[in-house]
Amino acid sequence: MILETSRLIIREISESDISSLSAMLADEKVMEFSINGPMSKSQTLEFIKWCQSSYEDHGIGPWALENKRDGSFIGFAGLSKELIDGIEEVHVGYRLARNHWHKGFATEAVSSVVDYGLNSEGRECIYAIIEPEHYSSIRVIEKSGFNVSKKTKFHDRFVNIYRKSKLQCEVVSA
């Protein structure tokens, strides 16, 4: 286990998550704003392997979100390294299965993962990469304390780059 919130256990993704994760990543609506689009089961297995190598190489990556109430897999949230305008930065990424949308799980997971990155991992700031049309994701990021940093192109898409810094956290809690 990486983290625990009031409703979630946040842990590493494993091959035992393949069925639930594959169903989620194959859903066109869930993957609407993904640079990869819907994924097959074999692509999902490659994603799991990538997550595991990210844990090994960087100590971070997308982590599984497990509902404490019933142990079900509801999605993932985590920190990964990404090139933003040619500079390697740490960003937060997340996806939830559609039947778990609009229940506050995304904000709960993102807030916890970002706080972990800023406090336990000692990172100075964390970024979020979101297309301007992805209103629900923008709402999650803003509720988690991020502010728009800049607009740029990412994988040939126009996106907003949001930023949350350790300094913002210190000012809020002061």
Side-chain angles (χ1 to χ4, degrees), residues 7-8 23-34 65 67 73-76 94-107 134-137 139-140 143:
R7 300 183 299 163
L8 299 169
M24 182 184 81
L25 296 180
D27 184 328
E28 287 185 19
K29 195 70 177 155
V30 170
M31 300 301 283
E32 180 180 2
F33 292 98
S34 166
L65 304 175
N67 190 329
F73 177 92
I74 66 168
F76 66 79
Y94 52 95
R95 264 200 222 303
L96 267 65
R98 202 179 334 176
N99 59 325
H100 297 290
W101 290 2
H102 309 295
K103 297 178 183 177
F105 286 120
T107 303
H134 198 336
Y135 303 115
S136 57
S137 201
R139 185 163 162 76
V140 167
K143 284 168 60 176

Side-chain angles (χ1 to χ4, degrees), residues 67-82:
N67 190 329
K68 278 174 133 177
R69 187 176 45 85
D70 61 10
S72 63
F73 177 92
I74 66 168
F76 66 79
L79 304 172
S80 322
K81 295 193 175 194
E82 188 67 69

Side-chain angles (χ1 to χ4, degrees), residues 81-129:
K81 295 193 175 194
E82 188 67 69
L83 282 180
I84 301 173
D85 291 336
I87 300 169
E88 188 175 74
E89 303 286 5
V90 173
H91 83 102
V92 63
Y94 52 95
R95 264 200 222 303
L96 267 65
R98 202 179 334 176
N99 59 325
H100 297 290
W101 290 2
H102 309 295
K103 297 178 183 177
F105 286 120
T107 303
E108 184 176 333
V110 167
S111 295
S112 294
V113 164
V114 169
D115 287 348
Y116 174 81
L118 292 172
N119 298 316
S120 299
E121 289 284 306
R123 303 196 186 277
E124 289 302 312
C125 64
I126 295 176
Y127 293 86
I129 306 163

Side-chain angles (χ1 to χ4, degrees), residues 5 7 40-41 44 60-61 67-68 78 89-90 129 142 153:
T5 70
R7 300 183 299 163
S40 67
K41 194 167 189 171
T44 301
I60 56 174
N67 190 329
K68 278 174 133 177
E89 303 286 5
V90 173
I129 306 163
E142 288 176 344
K153 231 175 167 187

